[in-house]
Structures are given as structure tokens and as C-alpha cells.
Amino acid sequence: MNYQQPPSQPRPLRPTPAFVGASWAALAVGIISYGVGLWNADMTKSEKGFYAATLLLGLFGAISLQKSVRDQAEGVPVSGLYLGLAWVMVALSIIMLIVGLWNSGMQLNEKGFYGLAFVLALYAAVAVQKNVRDSLYKP
């Protein structure tokens, strides 16, 4: 699939291989760290499932939000409902993580670990989505 830039917009620069690699590495580190932390955590399976689902919701929401905002900026029609839902999903996943960590019996350093891994994974997912989209552009 070739992505064609609207004529009124400047063409995006293709991402460098170093940035693409760093983005994928950051995504892998975020997801794997979060997953290893959950695997080794002393909590019930339902708690682990909650935190895993929170990460997945956040990743999907962040990717959807990045795509919607980028589409809108490039003049591609975006449903207000879909854009709003993407914002809600990102916000909801962050709120769910905060409430879950706040009410958990974990040590403060454990809570910080999950928070940092979560934020790293969400940021990296947005960067990877941007790189994938920019690499589809064929001048």
C-alpha cells in the first residue's frame, strides 16, 4: 500500500534507520519489562490480567490517537467519534494504571517500575506508528 501525501502538505521525511531501530527497541524494552515484571510479581492472576489488559488498552489507544491526529492534520477525514474514543482510551488506560497502582500493596519502587515501563511502551508505540506511516510514503 502506497501512502500518497495530499498536495497541499509538505512531504514527510523518511525516518532514519537509527530512529526506526531505537523506536522498535524502546517498544520492545517497554513491553518486555512490563511483562517480565508481571510474570515475576506476587499477585493473583486476575491482578496480572488487569495490568496486562491496561497495557494493551493503552497501546491500542495511543496508536489510534496518533493515527487520527496525523490524519486530521493531513486533511484526511476523521470521525469526531473515533478521535474522541481514542483520547478516552488513552486517558482511561492511564487512569486505570494509576488507580490500580495506588490501591496495590506494592512497594513504591515497584509502582514506579510499572509506571515507567507503561509510559515507555506507549511513547514507543506512537513513534513506531509514525515511522511505519512515514516509511509508506513514496515520492
Side-chain angles (χ1 to χ4, degrees):
M1 175 179 158
N2 288 340
Y3 170 70
Q4 295 298 324
Q5 183 76 15
S8 62
Q9 299 289 327
R11 294 188 310 216
L13 298 175
R14 292 176 65 83
T16 64
F19 185 68
V20 170
S23 300
W24 278 103
L27 181 60
V29 167
I31 292 173
I32 290 170
S33 296
Y34 194 92
V36 168
L38 282 180
W39 183 266
N40 293 314
D42 184 27
M43 55 176 88
T44 65
K45 289 180 182 177
S46 62
E47 288 175 296
K48 290 180 180 186
F50 169 80
Y51 287 111
T54 299
L55 178 64
L56 293 175
L57 177 66
L59 290 171
F60 180 76
I63 291 168
S64 294
L65 181 60
Q66 192 276 343
K67 182 190 180 314
S68 299
V69 169
R70 175 106 178 239
D71 282 350
Q72 200 172 47
E74 293 175 350
V76 177
V78 176
S79 162
L81 177 62
Y82 188 82
L83 181 61
L85 283 173
W87 275 109
V88 167
M89 291 304 106
V90 172
L92 187 60
S93 69
I94 293 169
I95 291 167
M96 286 171 59
L97 183 73
I98 290 169
V99 169
L101 292 176
W102 184 273
N103 292 313
S104 75
M106 291 185 230
Q107 297 291 320
L108 190 57
N109 62 340
E110 291 176 291
K111 293 177 182 183
F113 167 80
Y114 285 110
L116 289 174
F118 183 83
V119 169
L120 175 62
L122 261 59
Y123 172 78
V126 169
V128 166
Q129 158 61 12
K130 180 200 175 302
N131 292 340
V132 167
R133 180 145 177 184
D134 287 348
S135 67
L136 292 176
Y137 176 73
K138 305 289 185 210

